[in-house]
Amino acid sequence: MNLEVLQHIVRNEPERIEALANESGLDASASIGVAEFLAGNDGDVSLLSSKQQYHYDNAIEPLAQNVPCDGVFADDTCTGDGVIDDELLLGCYLEDNFLCQHCRFDSDRIQGE
């Protein structure tokens, strides 16, 4: 897990966790609590109970691991492997622009034309 991304989400964008929790029928405040617990424990998921793990699997992990690329033009138009590299993920949250490195390159080329 990208601990830096998790800490950013907990501090600056908890609404993202809340939205996924609500979509999954989970208590959003409990999901936030699990995220805060993980952020304070170096992201060590082995410390989670089975109920906490469920919150992690459904409302936290999708935001911090294997985050899908939005594609250059729309969903399903990614020119890479469809997933944002871990190294780029924090920048994606800071810029609110979820493109993998291939799509970023293509988007920059298109905008430069």
Side-chain angles (χ1 to χ4, degrees):
M1 171 191 336
N2 189 324
L3 185 59
E4 194 174 27
V5 168
L6 176 64
Q7 290 169 338
H8 169 78
I9 294 168
V10 167
R11 282 190 301 248
N12 303 298
E13 302 187 55
E15 64 276 3
R16 291 184 184 271
I17 296 171
E18 292 168 351
L20 282 181
N22 290 332
E23 286 175 23
S24 299
L26 297 170
D27 178 354
S29 62
S31 294
I32 295 288
V34 171
E36 290 171 343
F37 175 79
L38 284 170
N41 285 285
D42 297 323
D44 188 353
V45 294
S46 71
L47 300 173
L48 299 178
S49 70
S50 60
K51 289 182 181 180
Q52 290 171 321
Q53 182 71 44
Y54 190 78
H55 283 269
Y56 170 75
D57 291 343
N58 292 283
I60 301 163
E61 183 181 37
L63 299 171
Q65 281 190 299
N66 299 317
V67 176
C69 173
D70 286 344
V72 177
F73 302 107
D75 291 343
D76 298 326
T77 63
C78 177
T79 58
D81 65 2
V83 177
I84 298 170
D85 293 335
D86 205 38
E87 301 82 36
L88 296 176
L89 192 53
L90 180 60
C92 290
Y93 278 102
L94 294 173
E95 298 170 3
D96 196 28
N97 185 14
F98 291 85
L99 298 177
C100 69
Q101 74 181 49
H102 297 283
C103 288
R104 281 179 182 269
F105 177 79
D106 291 343
S107 177
D108 289 345
R109 266 192 24 225
I110 291 167
Q111 290 175 3
E113 293 177 355

